[in-house]
Amino acid sequence: MIETIRFWLIAVLLGLGVFFTLVSTIGVIRLPDIYARAHTASQTDTLGAGFALAGVALAFGWEQAAVYTVLLLFFVFITNPTAAHAIARSAAETGVEPLLADEGTDPDETDGPAETDGETT
Amino acid sequence: MAVERLLVPLSDTVTVRQTVAYAVRSGLEGADSLECHLVVAMPYDADVPESDQYDEDADGLLSRARNWVEEDAGGADVTIETARLGADEYLFGPRDYAEIFDAYADEHGIDRVVLDPEYQPGVTAQLLQPLERELERIGLAYEEAPVERSARRGRLAGGTEDFDRLFATFLISYGFYLVLGDPTYWFDLLTGAAVAGIVALSLAQVTFTVPLDRVQSPLRIVRFAVYVPYLLWEILKANIAVSAVILRPSMPIEPTLTRVNSRVRSGLPLTALANSITLTPGTLTVRANNQQLLVHTLIPAAQEDLFDGGLERGIRFVFYGRDSAAIPSPRERDDAEVVGGDEL
């Protein structure tokens, strides 16, 4: 009985992981610009990897391997926002204009890429 | 008229004063006129939010050094140039420093570099030996100023602080080693202690840039453990909201760029806050300078959450305790606004 519940719990967790990864992929394809895409890319790492690793931990049971998966998730959670921020920041630094809702298309700016180190005041 | 051009990289050490004096003296020996270039190389992390502090320190050092040169020069013909180098680059290793000095030397026709034997760029460990090697490789003439070293700096004063850092680094690396290994097996216990010892000795100074507190620092770890489930819950909520928006055929996104002035200290707390914001789908930190976060939000709900400042309260709870967590939201204290794309 317990084993059946555990099996289905693992299946559900893995399914959720795959689902959020799929959503994130669809998001990357559908969303308009690099900033918006960076949002959805973090979904893969948070819930996608999170559910998948939770399933893995459950499959291993109370063993040391389960501790490893928690550590793995911890490092994913540290590195993912760092990478997302690095991408967004370098996009901003090279002068990529975000598509914003209230202004419709990008406001025309002719200075080209920001040359200063981007101190916004 | 022969002009001797010297480059003197400065950093805040006990021997910097003697180095400057030596540079002036030796420069005036060989030529009747001296052009003294005083430079401060900004460390690689000068780009982080506390950069203003670095800038101030550098300017202070440069103006002090300028006075020293004027003092030592007496009536001789000395021109002083000061500069801050590398503010827009990531100076990391000795090679980067050597290259930036070389570029500066080429530009200004520098004859010789006078090095402070205790030269310490930024917060990294003492760098002189490899820097000399790199300068040799590049072929830039340099000379180490013969200074009298007083006893090593701050050994006595920093005693317990150093020990705390060593101990904390040791504990973290030993703990990590044992989690990966087997805590009940004597071999792992022994090798772990050896490895952690090496790690602590070599990395303790770069791991913690702020002094540790014996009560507060462990307490922060405990509070962080409380914060993690809250963060996970926020991530889950935001994930579902963003997924719903993406899967809707009409895809009703409303991207905005917002600026939030956070009330957390620069360094680790600000990093933790910015990372938490980015980790939550729907909000993405694009820039962070001096407590000012530029956040791209994808949907209105995410923007609401950001302006309500839940994550900020969480981070304040982790680093400053429960009393500090109860602060008004960024919206209430007028620290959040929607800005246009040209703010980037």
Side-chain angles (χ1 to χ4, degrees):
Chain A
M1 179 61 192
I2 290 287
E3 277 307 297
T4 332
I5 292 174
R6 198 174 99 163
F7 173 80
W8 283 109
L9 217 54
I10 292 168
V12 166
L13 283 174
L14 287 182
L16 280 172
V18 170
F19 171 74
F20 279 105
T21 310
L22 180 71
V23 168
S24 156
T25 316
I26 295 172
V28 169
I29 295 168
R30 288 193 73 191
L31 287 168
D33 70 344
I34 185 163
Y35 299 103
R37 285 174 176 175
H39 287 288
T40 184
S42 77
Q43 283 190 289
T44 313
D45 283 343
T46 52
L47 281 199
F51 278 126
L53 285 175
V56 169
L58 199 60
F60 276 124
W62 190 243
E63 273 180 51
Q64 208 165 18
V67 181
Y68 293 173
T69 60
V70 173
L71 272 180
L72 255 177
L73 195 62
F74 179 70
F75 288 120
V76 166
F77 271 35
I78 290 179
T79 49
N80 156 54
T82 313
H85 172 66
I87 291 170
R89 193 193 138 96
S90 54
E93 206 123 300
T94 46
V96 178
E97 296 283 340
L99 288 168
L100 297 178
D102 41 352
E103 284 157 291
T105 51
D106 47 338
D108 52 336
E109 182 158 336
T110 43
D111 316 76
E115 273 170 274
T116 55
D117 211 5
E119 305 307 308
T120 55
T121 45
Chain B
M1 194 167 70
V3 181
E4 176 96 355
R5 293 190 178 85
L6 292 183
L7 176 66
V8 189
L10 303 174
S11 66
D12 207 357
T13 64
V14 284
T15 51
V16 63
R17 176 70 189 91
Q18 292 179 56
T19 306
V20 170
Y22 172 78
V24 172
R25 201 172 58 235
S26 75
L28 287 172
E29 268 167 21
D32 27 291
S33 156
L34 173 70
E35 205 175 297
C36 195
H37 293 257
L38 305 166
V39 298
V40 171
M42 305 301 282
Y44 71 95
D45 54 355
D47 216 19
V48 300
E50 323 59 320
S51 56
D52 286 354
Q53 185 58 42
Y54 285 119
D55 287 355
E56 275 169 30
D57 289 352
D59 286 343
L61 186 60
L62 285 175
S63 74
R64 263 184 290 151
R66 177 184 279 273
N67 290 338
W68 295 335
V69 173
E70 278 166 1
E71 200 180 302
D72 293 337
D77 181 14
V78 177
T79 323
I80 310 167
E81 301 278 336
T82 58
R84 271 187 282 160
L85 298 183
D88 47 3
E89 292 176 49
Y90 283 97
L91 293 180
F92 201 84
R95 173 166 298 186
D96 303 334
Y97 283 91
E99 273 165 10
I100 203 160
F101 292 149
D102 191 42
Y104 186 87
D106 278 352
E107 199 178 312
H108 295 86
I110 300 291
D111 299 310
R112 194 152 59 90
V113 179
V114 176
L115 284 178
D116 180 352
E118 299 261 317
Y119 185 56
Q120 266 186 320
V123 292
T124 39
Q126 196 169 353
L127 202 59
L128 193 60
Q129 279 301 323
L131 180 61
E132 284 176 327
R133 227 173 287 141
E134 289 296 336
L135 286 174
E136 256 162 36
R137 190 182 61 84
I138 282 178
L140 187 61
Y142 71 90
E143 184 183 5
E144 191 174 313
V147 296
E148 285 164 26
R149 263 176 251 209
S150 53
R152 303 281 303 178
R153 349 31 3 96
R155 273 285 164 256
L156 289 171
T160 60
E161 207 171 273
D162 278 355
F163 174 77
D164 283 358
R165 285 175 196 207
L166 275 176
F167 187 68
T169 319
F170 180 84
L171 218 61
I172 291 169
S173 40
Y174 198 25
F176 187 63
Y177 191 94
L178 289 183
V179 165
L180 293 185
D182 181 358
T184 54
Y185 181 34
W186 67 269
F187 183 77
D188 280 1
L189 287 171
L190 212 65
T191 50
V195 168
I198 294 168
V199 167
L201 281 176
S202 53
L203 295 179
Q205 294 300 326
V206 284
T207 307
F208 300 105
T209 48
V210 284
L212 298 168
D213 188 301
R214 284 187 183 176
V215 183
Q216 283 297 316
S217 298
L219 209 60
R220 277 177 196 147
I221 296 174
V222 174
R223 289 197 294 242
F224 183 72
V226 179
Y227 169 69
V228 165
Y230 169 72
L231 178 65
L232 287 177
W233 172 243
E234 288 293 319
I235 287 173
L236 186 69
K237 276 197 307 191
N239 251 301
I240 292 168
V242 171
S243 302
V245 168
I246 287 172
L247 292 179
R248 283 261 289 280
S250 59
M251 203 170 64
I253 57 166
E254 269 180 46
T256 52
L257 204 57
T258 59
R259 185 165 47 211
V260 178
N261 295 327
S262 63
R263 295 277 173 91
V264 295
R265 181 172 64 76
S266 282
L268 192 60
L270 189 66
T271 311
L273 177 62
N275 266 9
S276 302
I277 287 174
T278 308
L279 203 48
T280 322
T283 48
L284 172 72
T285 315
V286 181
R287 280 190 181 282
N289 352 301
N290 288 327
Q291 275 94 6
Q292 204 174 62
L293 298 173
L294 209 59
V295 182
H296 185 271
T297 61
L298 190 62
I299 52 176
Q303 189 193 319
E304 294 293 307
D305 282 352
L306 178 69
F307 284 10
D308 287 339
L311 289 174
E312 188 188 42
R313 285 200 196 102
I315 294 293
R316 282 184 69 90
F317 167 69
V318 171
F319 285 95
Y320 311 119
R322 193 190 297 179
D323 297 338
S324 316
I327 58 164
S329 70
R331 196 209 321 266
E332 281 158 15
R333 55 171 206 261
D334 213 18
D335 267 345
E337 55 174 333
V338 177
V339 294
D342 44 355
E343 284 286 331
L344 279 179

